Amino acid sequence: MHRNVNILTMAIPPASLSVKSRQVAVVGAGPAGLVAARELHREGHSVVVFERGNEVGGTWVYTPRTERDPLGLDPNRPIVHSSLYSSLRTNLPREIMGFMDFPFLSRPGETRDPRRFPGHREVLMYLKDFAREFGVEEMVRFETEVVEVRILENGKWKVKSKRISSYNYSDDIDIVNKSEVEFDDEIYDAVVVCNGHYTEPRIAEIPGFSLWPGKQMHSHNYRIPEPFRDQVVILIGSSASAVDVCRDLAAVAKEVHVASRSVADETYTKQHGYDNLWFHSMIDSAREDGTVVFRNGKVVLADVIMHCTGYKYHFPFLDTNGIVTVDDNRLGPLYKHVFPPALAPCLSFIGIPWKVFCLVGLHFHHRRR
């Protein structure tokens, strides 16, 4: 899912010898939230982790469920947090994926995956091992969604959350009911935002898409290839997810075409080892007759267009009186991608950079605090 760069040479400032204990709220129990909670607890702070799901792991919690809105454009849609597809494996070896003091080692057991590039379930199991080892699970309020984080005049933070009592699902795996039983307002000295950024889809803007009659979806709602059997599928994007999904689909689809904006306009190549997988330059336009025109001049009559075009930063619960904003999918202002200078150190964000060693990077990121 991720492409990464080496940050192992980054310096870590020494921890303070004397720290006053604070009440700290951590939003999210994914990898960022788990390591943030562990480090804060080690420093003597009282930590509460808010997690709207029923287990730790964040985006690494696989679910076959998808959203009713396949493009993710409806702001009122029931949200499915995870973007994992069934076949996903890590694109980094486990030796460089673990937290600094808790290596991602192969563990015995029939349910464990010993491969050097394991499947997504093994990453989730590792995160659960980490949470149990350091007592982080005891800090987590499961099925509790943060709906508002707001700064008060005295510099403290109001955190409003709702306790979710149950999820009910229909046979077509869409969410049909979500019962909330109570709202809580609490005051904290500091808030650490760790809600992830693989849930709110970004959609390509192409002339004619609004009139194109076929099915459009975002890869956030892709799970398995079988629904695309014998269909002609166009993927937009050429990063990690697109590379994985196009090969997944090629096993069952009639044709798979991948459009990339990072290649020359004349690009048109057939993928070695496949009879039905082609790489193109970007799409020029989509037509009402169901065809899609690429910049290389090729025209394809397609059944599905899948946007493998990444995600947006999204913090609908956060109110900083305009101090922290998202502009053109850039969150800021942030010092070292962690602290808004005007609100530091009482507000911080962990896991904002896109291209890092995913778990080691989160550990370094929090140690900057």
Side-chain angles (χ1 to χ4, degrees):
M1 286 183 72
H2 316 289
R3 288 291 178 255
N4 305 282
V5 294
N6 195 333
I7 62 168
L8 293 176
T9 59
M10 291 169 51
I12 304 176
S16 171
L17 297 178
S18 178
V19 177
K20 182 179 178 181
S21 180
R22 304 287 187 179
Q23 301 287 325
V24 184
V26 176
V27 183
L34 294 177
V35 73
R38 196 276 299 268
E39 293 296 318
L40 287 163
H41 183 70
R42 279 181 165 180
E43 292 176 3
H45 300 296
S46 176
V47 182
V48 174
V49 183
F50 294 87
E51 170 54 48
R52 64 182 176 182
N54 59 10
E55 57 185 314
V56 303
T59 196
W60 291 100
V61 178
Y62 174 79
T63 174
R65 299 191 304 275
T66 57
E67 297 175 359
R68 289 196 188 107
D69 177 4
L71 281 173
L73 297 177
D74 181 2
N76 299 314
R77 72 192 188 281
I79 299 292
V80 173
H81 183 71
S82 181
S83 296
L84 292 182
Y85 34 94
S86 179
S87 64
L88 185 141
R89 292 175 60 183
T90 69
N91 60 358
L92 292 174
R94 64 167 69 235
E95 291 88 343
I96 60 174
M97 281 194 66
F99 296 118
M100 295 169 58
D101 55 357
F102 193 73
F104 188 11
L105 302 176
S106 175
R107 298 201 174 197
E110 293 183 1
T111 63
R112 303 307 291 255
D113 184 347
R115 294 176 294 179
R116 195 177 188 193
F117 296 83
H120 57 79
R121 187 177 182 278
E122 179 70 6
V123 181
L124 177 62
M125 297 296 289
Y126 165 78
L127 293 171
K128 290 185 173 183
D129 291 340
F130 176 87
R132 284 191 295 267
E133 177 73 17
F134 297 103
V136 180
E137 281 188 332
E138 299 171 8
M139 309 175 205
V140 182
R141 294 183 188 171
F142 292 106
E143 297 183 337
T144 304
E145 181 178 354
V146 172
V147 295
E148 182 184 23
V149 172
R150 180 165 57 87
I151 190 170
L152 302 177
E153 291 182 0
N154 61 3
K156 292 184 181 292
W157 293 84
K158 174 186 173 182
V159 176
K160 184 175 185 178
S161 63
K162 62 182 179 183
R163 175 76 178 176
I164 304 167
S165 63
S166 64
Y167 288 93
N168 297 314
Y169 303 98
S170 65
D171 292 338
D172 64 359
I173 68 177
D174 280 337
I175 299 175
V176 295
N177 182 51
K178 184 172 67 174
S179 302
E180 297 89 16
V181 294
E182 63 182 74
F183 285 83
D184 285 324
D185 287 343
E186 299 172 290
I187 306 300
Y188 289 88
D189 297 306
V191 176
V192 184
V193 179
C194 307
N195 66 321
H197 46 68
Y198 293 103
T199 297
E200 193 70 15
R202 297 180 73 182
I203 303 298
E205 296 181 3
I206 304 293
F209 267 15
S210 61
L211 299 176
W212 188 74
K215 177 181 178 179
Q216 293 191 60
M217 63 180 293
H218 191 275
S219 57
H220 172 66
N221 288 305
Y222 173 77
R223 297 293 183 268
I224 57 175
E226 188 59 35
F228 304 90
R229 180 171 293 278
D230 299 325
Q231 295 186 348
V232 176
V233 184
I234 295 175
L235 276 64
I236 303 175
S238 57
S239 194
S241 294
V243 171
D244 285 349
V245 173
C246 74
R247 291 170 176 163
D248 224 12
L249 291 173
V252 300
K254 180 180 179 181
E255 297 177 10
V256 180
H257 300 265
V258 181
S260 172
R261 65 179 180 180
S262 59
V263 299
D265 284 353
E266 64 272 15
T267 299
Y268 178 65
T269 59
K270 193 172 188 178
Q271 175 64 24
H272 179 71
Y274 293 85
D275 294 327
N276 62 342
L277 177 56
W278 290 267
F279 290 93
H280 297 256
S281 53
M282 194 53 185
I283 295 171
D284 183 69
S285 63
R287 298 172 175 171
E288 292 184 59
D289 63 359
T291 58
V292 175
V293 182
F294 296 86
R295 290 178 183 172
N296 58 20
K298 301 296 181 181
V299 179
V300 173
L301 179 63
D303 300 294
V304 180
I305 294 176
M306 186 182 301
H307 297 247
C308 302
T309 42
Y311 298 86
K312 302 174 185 176
Y313 292 114
H314 192 54
F315 309 97
F317 53 85
L318 184 60
D319 181 1
T320 63
N321 295 325
I323 295 174
V324 180
T325 61
V326 178
D327 181 26
D328 193 24
N329 212 33
R330 291 177 174 87
L331 177 67
L334 293 181
Y335 175 69
K336 292 187 178 293
H337 305 292
V338 178
F339 296 106
L343 300 173
C346 295
L347 178 66
S348 58
F349 297 80
I350 306 298
I352 293 302
W354 293 95
K355 297 187 177 182
V356 297
F357 284 169
C358 55
L359 303 187
V360 175
L362 293 173
H363 198 168
F364 271 104
H365 213 194
H366 186 270
R367 289 292 295 271
R368 289 174 174 177
R369 293 175 53 88

